[in-house]
Amino acid sequence: MKAAPTKITFFEFLTPFVVSGKKTITIRDESECHYVPGTHVEVFTLETDIKVCDIEILSVEPLQYSEINEFHAEQEYLPLPKLKEIISSVYPGTEQLYLISYKLV
Ligand SMILES: CC(=O)Nc1ccn([C@@H]2O[C@H](CO)[C@@H](O)[C@H]2O)c(=O)n1
């Protein structure tokens, strides 16, 4: 069995929202769905690989791209059109995504 991942990266412009507790979910593809609830994960900026905080994974659940709604946008601390734009540019053509929720530790 593979060990649970202990690192996650976010676009640098989003990390202040993670650190301040305003952003409490992230939506990723299958390659990043192996985080384990209850484990602690280190958060780094994607562009500069700087550690910003630690989070505890609360849940990981499948989510279709077409199901993404205002409720998710609120928890992402992003306007819904912006959220969908970012996701479709990072994961073009991917319908099957995963909703990862977390809290600061
Ligand atoms: C390597 C890699 O894929 N990095 C990613 C992927 C996604 N995201 C953000 O997560 C939320 C849902 O996708 C949105 O807020 C995205 O901007 C991110 O910060 N960094």
Side-chain angles (χ1 to χ4, degrees):
M1 207 171 94
K2 246 183 115 181
T6 57
K7 175 175 179 173
I8 192 166
T9 59
F10 283 89
F11 294 120
E12 198 163 15
F13 82 98
L14 293 170
T15 57
F17 306 141
V18 177
V19 173
S20 62
K22 288 174 173 156
K23 179 173 166 65
T24 59
I25 65 167
T26 185
I27 298 168
R28 302 296 170 104
D29 74 352
E30 216 223 301
S31 70
E32 290 197 276
C33 76
H34 303 290
Y35 291 97
V36 176
T39 61
H40 289 190
V41 171
E42 294 184 291
V43 178
F44 288 78
T45 56
L46 177 66
E47 297 87 345
T48 47
D49 205 37
I50 292 168
K51 182 175 172 182
V52 295
C53 63
D54 292 289
I55 56 174
E56 179 181 328
I57 305 298
L58 297 176
S59 62
V60 181
E61 350 174 335
L63 175 71
Q64 303 295 117
Y65 179 79
S66 56
E67 292 171 346
I68 296 172
N69 60 36
E70 280 298 341
F71 177 68
H72 302 112
E74 212 172 285
Q75 296 172 84
E76 283 270 10
Y77 206 69
L78 285 170
L80 182 57
K82 178 75 178 165
L83 174 62
K84 295 197 81 162
E85 183 191 308
I86 293 172
I87 294 177
S88 60
S89 77
V90 180
Y91 307 120
T94 308
E95 178 65 15
Q96 183 63 71
L97 298 166
Y98 294 84
L99 169 60
I100 301 172
S101 66
Y102 55 82
K103 65 172 185 188
L104 289 170
V105 293

